[in-house]
Amino acid sequence: MRAKVVLGSLATSCIAVAAAEVSYGNNSTNGAAKQLLQESMKWMDLYYDSEAGYLYNLDSKALLHDTRSSVWYAAGLLARNEGDDADQAAKIVENVIEGQHKNVSSQWYGDYQIYPEEPTVGTPQYPPVIYNSWDPNWRGFVGTTLILMLEEFPDLIPHDTQTRILESLYNATVGDSYRVGGVDDDNLYASYSNPAIMRAFMSSWTGRRLNDSNMTTAGEAYAKEIINLFERADTLSEFNSGTYAGVSLYALTLWSKYLPQSSLMGEHGPSMVSKTWAILGQLYNANLKNVAGPWDRSYGYDMNRYLSILALHIWTLVGKEAAPINAKPYTMGHKDDFAIGPLVAILAPYHNTLVPNATVSALQTFPGTHNVSTSAFSPPWDTFPRNITAWLSSNLTIGAESFSEDVIGGPAKNPSSFNPAVVQWSRNDGSVGWLTLYAQVKELNAMASEGRLELEYPQGNKTSTFTFLVSTNSKHGKRDVSSWGDVEGANITVEGTVDLTYSVDFAGYVGGSGKTINDFEYWNFTYVMPGDSTEIPRVSLSFGLD
Ligand SMILES: *[C@@H]1O[C@H](CO)[C@@H](O)[C@H](O)[C@H]1NC(C)=O
Ligand SMILES: *[C@@H]1O[C@H](CO)[C@@H](O)[C@H](O)[C@H]1NC(C)=O
Ligand SMILES: *[C@@H]1O[C@H](CO)[C@@H](O)[C@H](O)[C@H]1NC(C)=O
Ligand SMILES: *[C@@H]1O[C@H](CO)[C@@H](O)[C@H](O)[C@H]1NC(C)=O
Ligand SMILES: *[C@@H]1O[C@H](CO)[C@@H](O)[C@H](O)[C@H]1NC(C)=O
Ligand SMILES: *[C@@H]1O[C@H](CO)[C@@H](O)[C@H](O)[C@H]1NC(C)=O
Ligand SMILES: *[C@@H]1O[C@H](CO)[C@@H](O)[C@H](O)[C@H]1NC(C)=O
Ligand SMILES: *[C@@H]1O[C@H](CO)[C@@H](O)[C@H](O)[C@H]1NC(C)=O
Ligand SMILES: *[C@@H]1O[C@H](CO)[C@@H](O)[C@H](O)[C@H]1NC(C)=O
Ligand SMILES: *[C@@H]1O[C@H](CO)[C@@H](O)[C@H](O)[C@H]1NC(C)=O
Ligand SMILES: *[C@@H]1O[C@H](CO)[C@@H](O)[C@H](O)[C@H]1NC(C)=O
Ligand SMILES: *[C@@H]1O[C@H](CO)[C@@H](O)[C@H](O)[C@H]1NC(C)=O
């Protein structure tokens, strides 16, 4: 069932990260990348079931295992390459490929199981529910990791395992070609940046390796759509997402490093990495260690408290201390993403050469008060591009986007992750306070400027409400909040066409009237319209520090 593992000779070029010296050039961070590799691997070692050749589920689901984190761990095993690491990596890879869906007529063909104990997807008892019983993006997550292994560590992978990896990539690419946005509940458009970038890469790379020109052509054609969208304003459609900008940067690095100049991806990848970092650098506040809003898809409201993949990249660029990463990363919200650490670390020595110096500098030192203005476009969801404005000062940042979409909660239709208007400030103990507009409408006019956030629902009416989720205070602040005056660190005043009497509710870990969102507790400040209002719902918030 499992191939006998035959170790190739050790190639020094394959263990670049483990062998890398700390250097002091623009990628003076090889030492930091090595630390990221070691720390993420040490944590995953605790979850590794060597008997099974899989990681246990990182959320400890009664000894169930997990496919995607296992394959990320396997890449880390090859990079570390101590003891029997390489044998274990091959064992994991063989398991994952065996668990790949093999029915060419099913929509999930070539995708990878979520976990090896799962029932057969598509049986009456285990219906195929996209993003639940199967996740179409895992073709890309697992497939690109297998490619990275072949590219970086070919001499550590047995020859017959390499053959099966190629067969697996072929199937994954064919299956991925079944994905068409808007068909069969799928949502893969070129604007769904992170899986779109992975798809184009896997198809072109696999086509080249297997001499399947159709696959190569399909990958290049999809890349063309992604590049066209990007070049409109030099921004990713899935804009400024702590988690998914991190994935897109990973995937654009694959374009840049593993495809030749003759590929559109080899040609455009490096500048897309640079330009993506350029805008992130402008929106980053190194005092708060946060990227200012708006965030199209976020799994938290303060990067110091949830683990973002972007923060792992920042770790390799400026070191762990200066990055938005807790000393114990596995205690942060969304901590399972620490499992992608090995991939970020392996690519860092190359990726970091593409990051503009001004960005690296901004990741270390806040450059001074400034405005940012740009746009991003996610067809078919957006009627027209989203206009983005942000104002950043040393201890207060405000960022927002106007949009007109045909869904509520952004393209992912998820109000828990779509944050179109966000304010963050530093508090006396150095912790971060925040406020975010809860997404309730399809159309918003939003503008950030010096100390101000202006919001309007152009299609709203007297039934509209504005809900702001606001951070709980630091351990030095008040435990109870019933008005803006109780919110620590910020002086907030509100005006507008709303009824200025507001309600305040609490959503807590074990109590209150609402549920936490992405593990974050919050105070819910809600404004309604006066009962007889005929005005357009509008609210304007002014912020000072206190
Ligand atoms: C940065 O990393 C790349 C890739 O590992 C290497 O070729 C280059 O010499 C490094 N540059 C500096 C200044 O350290
Ligand atoms: C970036 O910084 C490095 C090291 O200080 C320097 O050698 C290089 O010229 C700079 N690159 C740019 C584009 O300014
Ligand atoms: C393969 O998938 C098709 C389409 O879902 C289904 O009709 C068929 O029964 C499946 N075949 C097997 C062997 O499961
Ligand atoms: C690839 O798919 C074919 C069916 O088209 C299947 O027979 C084969 O086992 C699959 N290979 C792998 C490695 O899963
Ligand atoms: C692809 O073509 C190249 C050049 O013709 C050849 O060396 C290689 O063996 C071929 N690979 C496969 C998988 O057919
Ligand atoms: C490539 O695509 C063409 C046109 O769609 C088709 O006729 C041909 O069979 C395909 N070749 C392969 C190897 O899939
Ligand atoms: C980083 O350093 C490498 C090697 O010195 C150089 O080729 C590259 O242009 C630099 N990149 C940036 C963004 O400065
Ligand atoms: C963005 O700004 C442009 C130019 O001012 C305007 O035409 C467009 O309607 C705005 N888009 C949104 C979503 O507000
Ligand atoms: C920003 O906050 C820090 C830490 O609380 C404080 O030391 C600094 O003086 C503040 N700067 C400004 C401009 O308010
Ligand atoms: C007010 O807006 C809500 C939500 O869009 C809508 O359901 C309702 O019909 C509107 N009411 C009026 C009187 O237009
Ligand atoms: C609070 O803000 C208001 C206006 O934004 C300002 O007049 C007032 O002085 C501020 N108070 C403090 C304590 O900062
Ligand atoms: C916020 O509070 C309002 C008023 O109590 C409530 O209707 C709404 O569901 C709450 N929203 C969230 C996201 O907790």
Side-chain angles (χ1 to χ4, degrees):
M1 199 178 276
R2 173 166 77 81
K4 185 168 159 33
V5 174
V6 186
L7 268 187
S9 63
L10 294 190
T12 44
S13 64
C14 294
I15 46 173
V17 167
E21 299 292 327
V22 181
S23 69
Y24 297 94
N26 57 6
N27 42 350
S28 60
T29 52
N30 295 350
K34 188 174 170 184
Q35 183 196 14
L36 170 58
L37 177 70
Q38 287 170 341
E39 283 197 27
S40 56
M41 288 301 289
K42 226 172 172 169
W43 173 65
M44 284 190 279
D45 285 343
L46 297 172
Y47 287 83
Y48 186 52
D49 178 356
S50 61
E51 194 101 352
Y54 272 104
L55 280 195
Y56 287 116
N57 181 291
L58 294 166
D59 285 327
S60 304
K61 300 288 186 198
L63 302 191
L64 295 180
H65 297 91
D66 178 73
T67 300
R68 186 177 63 174
S69 55
S70 294
V71 80
W72 287 345
Y73 177 69
L77 288 170
L78 295 178
R80 185 172 66 186
N81 192 28
E82 288 167 4
D84 72 343
D85 280 352
D87 290 5
Q88 297 300 331
K91 181 173 175 176
I92 292 168
V93 166
E94 292 285 358
N95 281 338
V96 166
I97 293 174
E98 200 182 304
Q100 187 175 16
H101 296 299
K102 304 208 188 309
N103 180 349
V104 76
S105 313
S106 68
Q107 195 188 346
W108 49 98
Y109 173 61
D111 202 357
Y112 299 87
Q113 288 177 324
I114 305 286
Y115 64 110
E117 294 87 357
E118 71 188 28
T120 303
V121 176
T123 50
Q125 294 79 9
Y126 202 61
V129 182
I130 194 167
Y131 294 114
N132 286 282
S133 58
W134 69 286
D135 185 331
N137 295 348
W138 282 32
R139 293 192 189 98
F141 278 118
V142 175
T144 59
T145 304
L146 296 174
I147 293 172
L148 178 144
M149 290 182 185
L150 287 180
E151 285 279 1
E152 301 286 338
F153 312 106
D155 296 337
L156 296 181
I157 307 170
H159 189 262
D160 49 352
T161 301
Q162 295 196 29
T163 305
R164 270 186 291 280
I165 290 177
L166 289 172
E167 189 183 329
S168 173
L169 287 168
Y170 181 85
N171 288 3
T173 304
V174 170
D176 216 36
S177 77
Y178 299 177
R179 299 191 71 180
V180 179
V183 176
D184 294 335
D185 297 328
D186 206 321
N187 62 341
L188 184 57
Y189 298 92
S191 63
Y192 187 6
S193 305
N194 84 85
I197 297 169
M198 291 194 286
R199 156 193 265 194
F201 170 72
M202 184 163 73
S203 186
S204 182
W205 188 96
T206 304
R208 282 163 206 274
R209 178 60 78 97
L210 298 177
N211 297 334
D212 185 319
S213 61
N214 276 12
M215 266 183 190
T216 311
T217 307
E220 295 292 325
Y222 212 67
K224 180 83 186 132
E225 283 186 51
I226 295 165
I227 293 164
N228 287 346
L229 257 180
F230 184 88
E231 288 186 336
R232 198 192 54 80
D234 289 339
T235 53
L236 292 169
S237 302
E238 197 175 22
F239 183 75
N240 203 29
S241 154
T243 298
Y244 294 107
V247 177
S248 291
L249 284 166
Y250 154 75
L252 288 171
T253 305
L254 304 177
W255 282 26
S256 309
K257 191 171 185 194
Y258 304 141
L259 288 173
Q261 276 295 313
S262 58
S263 158
L264 281 175
M265 290 174 258
E267 183 189 348
H268 292 270
S271 68
M272 289 168 74
V273 171
S274 295
K275 288 168 176 171
T276 299
W277 273 111
I279 187 73
L280 286 166
Q282 288 179 46
L283 287 167
Y284 192 75
N285 185 322
N287 295 334
L288 306 182
K289 292 198 201 170
N290 264 281
V291 180
W295 307 311
D296 282 336
R297 283 176 81 200
S298 176
Y299 291 133
Y301 307 112
D302 172 5
M303 288 171 72
N304 298 289
R305 290 177 182 269
Y306 79 95
L307 194 146
S308 64
I309 295 173
L310 193 59
L312 300 179
H313 289 289
I314 295 174
W315 175 342
T316 72
L317 283 159
V318 300
K320 186 182 179 188
E321 282 279 297
I325 283 283
N326 190 271
K328 298 179 195 291
Y330 38 84
T331 59
M332 300 173 77
H334 223 73
K335 53 101 171 89
D336 290 5
D337 279 351
F338 197 29
I340 204 173
L343 306 190
V344 173
I346 290 164
L347 291 171
Y350 170 78
H351 165 268
N352 293 3
T353 65
L354 303 174
V355 181
N357 285 349
T359 298
V360 178
S361 168
L363 293 174
Q364 291 163 310
T365 310
F366 183 67
T369 300
H370 60 278
N371 292 289
V372 180
S373 166
T374 185
S375 69
F377 191 32
S378 293
W381 317 102
D382 281 323
T383 321
F384 34 76
R386 306 189 296 289
N387 287 337
I388 293 155
T389 50
W391 176 80
L392 289 88
S393 70
S394 77
N395 286 345
L396 171 64
T397 70
I398 307 174
E401 64 187 345
S402 296
F403 60 87
S404 170
E405 298 187 332
D406 61 356
V407 288
I408 292 175
K413 297 178 220 166
N414 186 352
S416 297
S417 61
F418 184 57
N419 292 274
V422 180
V423 183
Q424 293 177 306
W425 58 91
S426 79
R427 304 189 288 210
N428 282 336
D429 69 344
S431 65
V432 171
W434 49 265
L435 171 153
T436 182
L437 173 71
Y438 188 71
Q440 303 180 83
V441 292
K442 295 179 178 176
E443 266 190 68
L444 174 73
N445 291 332
M447 168 77 96
S449 59
E450 180 174 354
R452 268 175 94 81
L453 174 63
E454 286 164 280
L455 304 168
E456 179 184 87
Y457 295 160
Q459 303 297 326
N461 62 38
K462 64 183 180 188
T463 71
S464 300
T465 64
F466 291 89
T467 289
F468 300 100
L469 312 185
V470 180
S471 52
T472 53
N473 291 332
S474 79
K475 62 174 181 277
H476 311 287
K478 295 182 181 171
R479 292 275 55 79
D480 303 310
V481 168
S482 58
S483 73
W484 289 116
D486 297 325
V487 175
E488 182 185 350
N491 168 5
I492 302 168
T493 48
V494 178
E495 56 197 43
T497 59
V498 293
D499 179 346
L500 290 173
T501 324
Y502 52 92
S503 62
V504 182
D505 291 304
F506 182 60
Y509 173 44
V510 288
S513 61
K515 293 239 184 313
T516 57
I517 298 182
N518 293 314
D519 295 331
F520 279 71
E521 297 192 321
Y522 58 86
W523 296 98
N524 168 348
F525 284 67
T526 292
Y527 287 85
V528 300
M529 295 298 288
D532 54 353
S533 176
T534 54
E535 303 223 55
I536 291 183
R538 200 176 289 129
V539 67
S540 166
L541 290 77
S542 299
F543 296 85
L545 293 166
D546 63 19

